[in-house]
Amino acid sequence: MAKRATTPPARGSWAGKMGFIMAAAGSAVGLGNLWKFPWMAYKNGGYGEAEPYGAGAFVLIYLLSVVVVGLPVMIAEIVIGRRSGKDPVGAFEALRPGSLWKWVGALGVLTGFLLLSYYGVVAGWTAFFLLKSVTGSLTVTPDAGKEIFAQFTASAPMQVAWMAIFVLLTAAVVIGGISKGIERVTKILMPGLLIMVFWLFFMVMGRENASSAYAYMFYPDFSHVTASLVLDAMGQAFFSLSLGMGAVITYGSYLGKKDRIVTCAVSVTFLDTLVALVASLVIFGVLFHLNLQTPGDGQGNLFTAIPAIFSQLEGGTTLVIVFFLLVTFAALTSTVSLLEVVVSYFIDERGWSRKAAVVKVSAAVFLLGIPSAFSFNVLGDTKVFGMTFFALFDYLCANWSLPIGGLLITIFAGWILTSKETEDEINTHRPIHAFWKFCVRYIAPIVVLLVLVGIIAGVGGSE
Ligand code: PFF
């Protein structure tokens, strides 16, 4: 595969298009797919009510949002990244020098840093639960599962230690650079993840009553559509595709000039959506098979209810191990992308070496992660604006930073960049470019604005 010619070799690049697709899909597929999407579908699907109406309407609106908002914004981010060949701050500065646009990049880098600090805590949980599943201690009743989780999160040293382990793991991948670190690892983990999710799918869906999950997920009943459902679906599409903070700008900056942006964006979007849907079918399939009314305590907690549910199946011990391997892979490829955003800033803008950037940024992430790790124990009662540090950071990133960043990115791509610039990069059939331009100019900003208004009005969004 051709190496990019315009970037100095020191900056690194993907060895090929597949490297970008696997890494970007790795960023997109994360806890958002495996935990939040099934929970959102469940929350908006009415499962367990006297007359369950299903999550079909939510899923359909989600898919629509992915196509008319997610995909165009992803293309926009790749365009910005590849055209500039820079980190998010440098990208806006290179494309519109001396303007205020570089602050959009700065917001992205800051968001990546903050997001990683608390996402790393939950990622640490996945690694701990993987270990627990291997030792067989997760094959338990729902109550015992809750007890394991409660004890684990109540221990401040355990929280800090597992967060540290995960940050170290992430740093070990990112320090290897683009093709030798991130590309090499994601090219193994992502196919592994796909094999595992499909393996679980085949293990579960043939069981009695499990196939009811199809109707639950795909039969749309529009009589139950509410503003909150629509906002949840649109917000989820955004978070799940890793949009709004420059993760895709950063990965796009390492993309070869010959690689087709639309093909890359469609592949990443497709893989992300596929994993969300298949993982949900697995989870709902198990619920229908066991005829359970609710996946544990409301949110269907990934760490309590799901292992307990799997344990009740024949071959459950193995299924739980595969499940947590899947979640850990997904979390790792997402944390890697978050760290790379911040690291690329220090390499490109501050002239740091990759090694120095990874070591210093990881140390800072670890320190910033401590208040989040303590939010479940020693700082559990310390509230800022009524939220623990963990909840506050999540609220700031998911509800504010990503949508605001996303809105500004669509405005930049749709209204500031010229058609000549974007056509040059996207390099596809004119009608496709025209459709993209229309989405990024009108539909995407309006939709993201609606999400923000909804959040301000307190409808939908993360809680
Ligand atoms: N897309 C990830 C998930 O679904 O878990 C979360 C995420 C990763 C959001 C990286 C933003 C980002 F830049």
Side-chain angles (χ1 to χ4, degrees):
M1 281 282 171
K3 290 244 175 199
R4 49 178 305 130
T6 49
T7 310
R11 193 169 183 273
S13 61
W14 308 113
K17 180 173 71 188
M18 223 36 204
F20 169 84
I21 293 175
M22 285 299 141
S27 170
V29 175
L31 297 164
N33 301 57
L34 303 175
W35 171 68
K36 200 155 178 205
F37 184 79
W39 164 43
M40 282 281 146
Y42 170 83
K43 178 184 156 201
N44 289 291
Y47 183 79
E49 289 178 359
E51 239 187 304
Y53 61 87
F58 170 81
V59 171
L60 200 72
I61 293 173
Y62 174 80
L63 294 178
L64 207 67
S65 314
V66 164
V67 174
V68 299
V69 184
L71 187 57
V73 177
M74 177 157 306
I75 292 174
E77 288 205 23
I78 305 176
V79 166
I80 295 169
R82 185 171 71 179
R83 194 158 182 85
S84 61
K86 287 273 170 60
D87 69 289
V89 177
F92 285 99
E93 181 60 18
L95 296 176
R96 289 297 177 271
S99 69
L100 290 176
W101 284 102
K102 62 172 172 293
W103 292 102
V104 178
L107 177 71
V109 173
L110 217 65
T111 307
F113 185 54
L114 194 63
L115 217 160
L116 180 54
S117 77
Y118 76 85
Y119 199 95
V121 174
V122 184
W125 297 352
T126 67
F128 173 79
F129 273 74
L130 174 60
L131 185 75
K132 279 269 168 195
S133 67
V134 172
T135 59
S137 36
L138 279 190
T139 314
V140 288
T141 61
D143 284 345
K146 273 186 201 159
E147 187 56 32
I148 293 174
F149 183 72
Q151 271 182 11
F152 173 57
T153 48
S155 158
M158 286 288 266
Q159 289 302 298
V160 173
W162 281 92
M163 184 260 288
I165 289 171
F166 216 91
V167 172
L168 275 176
L169 216 59
T170 308
V173 176
V174 175
I175 211 162
I178 300 305
S179 58
K180 295 218 180 73
I182 301 177
E183 180 166 355
R184 204 156 61 180
V185 172
T186 48
K187 263 186 169 168
I188 300 168
L189 295 193
M190 278 311 287
L193 187 149
L194 288 173
I195 291 170
M196 284 189 284
V197 80
F198 276 103
W199 187 75
L200 285 174
F201 178 80
F202 289 117
M203 292 303 287
V204 164
M205 294 312 283
R207 295 179 197 238
E208 206 184 342
N209 296 330
S211 57
S212 302
Y214 293 114
Y216 181 75
M217 287 285 293
F218 298 120
Y219 180 76
D221 178 348
F222 292 107
S223 64
H224 288 84
V225 174
T226 58
S228 153
L229 179 147
V230 176
L231 292 176
D232 275 351
M234 295 189 305
Q236 173 65 16
F238 221 73
F239 181 81
S240 186
L241 290 168
S242 295
L243 300 172
M245 52 149 278
V248 181
I249 295 181
T250 307
Y251 276 6
S253 75
Y254 305 116
L255 185 64
K257 282 286 178 208
K258 292 210 182 87
D259 296 323
R260 297 207 159 256
I261 289 182
V262 176
T263 314
C264 289
V266 169
S267 312
V268 173
T269 306
F270 173 76
L271 286 173
D272 185 66
T273 310
L274 185 72
V275 173
L277 294 178
V278 176
S280 302
L281 283 173
V282 169
I283 289 168
F284 289 115
V286 177
L287 291 177
F288 280 109
H289 171 61
L290 296 173
N291 196 19
L292 294 178
Q293 286 302 300
T294 159
D297 52 358
Q299 294 189 13
N301 199 315
L302 186 67
F303 301 97
T304 56
I306 307 287
I309 291 168
F310 274 113
S311 307
Q312 294 181 40
L313 297 183
E314 196 190 314
T317 317
T318 320
L319 291 173
V320 171
I321 296 174
V322 173
F323 185 76
F324 276 105
L325 204 59
L326 173 76
V327 185
T328 309
F329 280 14
L332 181 62
T333 50
S334 294
T335 54
V336 160
S337 74
L338 290 164
L339 183 59
E340 178 60 28
V341 170
V342 189
V343 161
S344 74
Y345 165 77
F346 284 103
I347 295 174
D348 288 349
E349 304 307 307
R350 303 286 163 131
W352 293 9
S353 70
R354 175 165 287 272
K355 196 168 152 208
V358 170
V359 170
K360 289 182 196 170
V361 173
S362 305
V365 164
F366 169 72
L367 290 178
L368 187 66
I370 291 176
S372 292
F374 283 177
S375 292
F376 302 91
N377 36 72
V378 285
L379 290 182
D381 292 327
T382 308
K383 303 275 167 80
V384 185
F385 302 121
M387 289 175 265
T388 60
F389 285 107
F390 179 91
L392 177 71
F393 292 172
D394 181 42
Y395 174 75
L396 288 176
C397 290
N399 285 12
W400 291 102
S401 240
L402 294 183
I404 290 173
L407 178 65
L408 295 169
I409 287 168
T410 58
I411 293 172
F412 185 78
W415 298 91
I416 306 295
L417 290 180
T418 61
S419 283
K420 161 96 188 57
E421 287 173 298
T422 53
E423 263 172 12
D424 222 34
E425 282 300 321
I426 297 178
N427 189 18
T428 182
H429 307 289
R430 285 198 151 228
I432 298 181
H433 180 268
F435 178 67
W436 169 79
K437 184 106 183 170
F438 178 75
C439 287
V440 99
R441 270 197 154 189
Y442 302 104
I443 300 188
I446 291 171
V447 166
V448 182
L449 210 59
L450 280 179
V451 172
L452 281 169
V453 170
I455 289 168
I456 293 167
V459 187
S462 304
E463 50 243 55

